[in-house]
Amino acid sequence: MLMLREFRETSDLKVAQVAERVGVPYETYRKWEKGDSNPNWEQLCKVADVLHCSLDDLTGRRETLTRDERAMLAKWRSLSDQGRTTVLAVMDSFQEGDSASSEERSA
């Protein structure tokens, strides 16, 4: 079963928004989410682009991320190169702080 609804909700999009961006009627996309019908290959690729995920993600062929992880990944993919560099620097500073705290506890 496709994970359309999960990825759409993580992307904070409404059914109508995804349907419009993919170029299909609202009812068509709604049926895909409910599992009443399935998109063709081209449509599925468009959905993955709109929802900022891979086809493996949509089809459940890969390890499933938590809702929070999917939200973070969607935000990451929307960042500029400068934004990504900033986020990585902040994460590195947190990791360094965590490492120092672990060493202090071990001593």
Side-chain angles (χ1 to χ4, degrees):
M1 178 144 176
L2 298 175
M3 299 178 61
L4 300 175
R5 181 175 181 180
E6 293 86 345
F7 282 95
R8 177 182 55 78
E9 288 176 348
T10 298
S11 297
D12 290 324
L13 294 171
K14 304 284 185 209
V15 171
Q17 292 172 302
V18 177
E20 180 181 335
R21 293 177 189 181
V22 173
V24 297
Y26 172 93
E27 283 300 317
T28 299
Y29 184 82
R30 192 176 68 74
K31 286 179 183 178
W32 295 347
E33 276 198 3
K34 292 176 77 178
D36 294 339
S37 66
N38 290 306
N40 64 34
W41 179 253
E42 183 180 327
Q43 293 164 330
L44 190 59
C45 289
K46 286 181 183 179
V47 171
D49 289 343
V50 169
L51 299 180
H52 303 289
C53 62
S54 72
L55 295 174
D56 283 342
D57 293 331
L58 282 181
T59 58
R61 288 182 39 146
R62 197 186 308 186
E63 176 184 341
T64 303
L65 301 175
T66 66
R67 182 181 177 100
D68 287 341
E69 290 169 331
R70 287 193 307 267
M72 287 190 300
L73 183 56
K75 289 177 183 179
W76 171 263
R77 289 177 175 164
S78 68
L79 291 173
S80 66
D81 287 343
Q82 181 179 0
R84 289 179 181 187
T85 300
T86 302
V87 169
L88 289 174
V90 170
M91 291 174 73
D92 287 344
S93 70
F94 275 102
Q95 283 182 321
E96 290 168 7
D98 287 346
S99 295
S101 296
S102 295
E103 290 173 10
E104 290 172 5
R105 285 189 293 253
S106 298

